[in-house]
Amino acid sequence: MEISMLMSTRTLCEWIENGQMEHTNDILERLKCFDMCHIIDEERIGDLYELLHRNRRVSSCREFSIFLDRDRAGSRKQINQNLFAERSEALGTLAETESKNVKAILYHEAVFDKGVHLLALGKSDVLRLIACKEDLCSVLTLFGQDIDGLHEFSQYIQNVYDNLVFDREIEKSMEKLEAGFLTRRHEILYHLYRIHEEMPVLIEKYGVLDNSSLGDKMSIPCSPERDRTTVENKLTKKADNGKNIKCELHTKMDKIGSRKPDRIYFCASVPDKIKVDNVDLSGKIYVYKITEHA
């Protein structure tokens, strides 16, 4: 999947003048994980370079100058007025027909062309216009619907949700989904999106509550496993130093017929000084399994 990002020189100049370039650099940093084509118009390209030079001592402008001057693997830049205009027109057409409701789109109740991986820098309630990392996470979640291969999907979600740490065998756990990966794909994306967006806010606001209280505050069905034997035998991750991470909190996907609903098992906040694969996970949200009912 290659993602195209339109970058208006007029918008960039305005953001530099208003001291708002940090958000742009945050977006570009998150997009480093993906194959990218950054398309820049020529309308104010001279002004853009002049502003960057004038503000070269401002760290955010210096970072963006480096981005403009250097290429990296998996990313290319095109300064092309005609291409920019063509893609802008396509984006405008999409904006007229597409929904702005992430949940409705994922649950097939609203329109969004998941196969067109086109974005633009900008401030708007249109999903494809990106002003911050949160905007980017929303639309990347929707692009995930276009991935049919389990391996590619498992790699993709690990790049999208930077607030979450996934177990190294997360793909293996998805092989055991009762309803199958393709049936659950939209729910997996929505549940991860909600965990990613909501859990850091809840913990910052209320502190690390008990799992039941945290689950009750989520916007999706979420609760801890009641059976302690199941927790010990199936939902406990062994850390490097012999300590344990209890991953009993889980979201519940929709029930299909008589099947038990599939679930996402996670730890909302890993205890301090716990490492897995020599990585310190203190305070991280650890997604252990995306799988069948334990």
Side-chain angles (χ1 to χ4, degrees):
M1 177 194 301
E2 181 181 79
I3 299 170
S4 295
M5 170 67 84
L6 303 180
M7 306 178 74
S8 161
T9 52
R10 179 174 294 277
T11 297
L12 289 168
C13 287
E14 289 175 358
W15 289 6
I16 292 170
E17 291 167 340
N18 294 328
Q20 298 174 326
M21 285 302 288
E22 284 188 10
H23 290 306
T24 302
N25 291 324
D26 287 344
I27 292 165
L28 295 174
E29 184 65 27
R30 289 296 304 127
L31 287 171
K32 282 183 178 180
C33 300
F34 305 93
D35 290 334
M36 293 296 305
C37 178
H38 300 280
I39 303 170
I40 305 169
D41 72 308
E42 300 175 74
E43 181 184 359
R44 293 190 62 187
I45 193 69
D47 294 339
L48 175 61
Y49 279 110
E50 183 179 338
L51 279 169
L52 288 171
H53 180 72
R54 192 187 309 160
N55 291 274
R56 61 190 179 278
R57 291 185 178 83
V58 179
S59 60
S60 59
C61 292
R62 191 163 56 247
E63 285 179 37
F64 188 75
S65 293
I66 293 170
F67 160 78
L68 283 178
D69 292 340
R70 297 180 186 174
D71 291 323
R72 67 169 181 82
S75 177
R76 55 196 176 94
K77 292 183 285 291
Q78 295 190 53
I79 300 176
N80 186 313
Q81 186 67 37
N82 290 335
L83 181 60
F84 184 90
E86 175 191 310
R87 297 292 176 86
S88 293
E89 184 178 352
L91 190 67
T93 300
L94 289 168
E96 291 176 0
T97 58
E98 290 184 335
S99 172
K100 301 161 188 162
N101 187 317
V102 172
K103 182 178 182 181
I105 293 166
L106 287 172
Y107 282 78
H108 318 301
E109 297 168 353
V111 172
F112 184 87
D113 194 337
K114 63 185 181 184
V116 179
H117 308 134
L118 180 61
L119 305 173
L121 284 181
K123 295 181 180 179
S124 169
D125 60 352
V126 174
L127 283 172
R128 293 180 186 267
L129 263 65
I130 311 300
C132 60
K133 287 198 305 180
E134 291 74 20
D135 293 344
L136 183 60
C137 183
S138 298
V139 76
L140 289 177
T141 292
L142 299 176
F143 288 169
Q145 300 176 98
D146 196 36
I147 302 174
D148 295 333
L150 179 55
H151 177 68
E152 185 183 357
F153 183 81
S154 68
Q155 296 298 309
Y156 184 79
I157 59 176
Q158 292 178 66
N159 287 331
V160 171
Y161 304 108
D162 60 327
N163 286 340
L164 312 181
V165 177
F166 292 83
D167 187 79
R168 65 175 178 268
E169 295 192 344
I170 198 68
E171 180 180 335
K172 197 172 185 179
S173 74
M174 284 193 279
E175 293 174 356
K176 298 180 179 179
L177 285 161
E178 176 69 25
F181 153 63
L182 290 177
T183 299
R184 292 299 192 190
R185 177 176 50 191
H186 69 289
E187 287 181 281
I188 293 170
L189 289 165
Y190 188 65
H191 284 213
L192 291 174
Y193 174 64
R194 295 271 44 105
I195 296 169
H196 177 273
E197 293 292 304
E198 294 178 22
M199 196 54 69
V201 175
L202 290 174
I203 290 176
E204 182 178 358
K205 183 174 181 179
Y206 299 106
V208 183
L209 302 173
D210 62 274
N211 283 327
S212 182
S213 297
L214 273 176
D216 287 344
K217 294 183 183 299
M218 290 282 289
S219 67
I220 54 177
C222 185
S223 63
E225 173 59 47
R226 288 175 293 181
D227 188 314
R228 304 321 296 171
T229 301
T230 299
V231 173
E232 292 298 328
N233 294 338
K234 295 184 177 181
L235 302 176
T236 299
K237 175 71 177 181
K238 302 294 182 184
D240 293 351
N241 57 2
K243 293 185 178 180
N244 295 327
I245 305 174
K246 304 285 187 182
C247 303
E248 60 187 282
L249 198 57
H250 58 269
T251 65
K252 305 169 189 176
M253 301 185 205
D254 292 341
K255 189 171 183 179
I256 301 174
S258 60
R259 297 173 178 177
K260 292 182 178 179
D262 293 310
R263 297 180 170 188
I264 296 179
Y265 292 95
F266 67 102
C267 174
S269 181
V270 175
D272 287 342
K273 299 180 181 178
I274 288 186
K275 293 184 178 182
V276 171
D277 298 331
N278 208 33
V279 176
D280 188 351
L281 299 181
S282 301
K284 300 290 187 180
I285 304 169
Y286 190 74
V287 180
Y288 186 32
K289 295 181 179 181
I290 303 172
T291 194
E292 63 187 349
H293 190 295

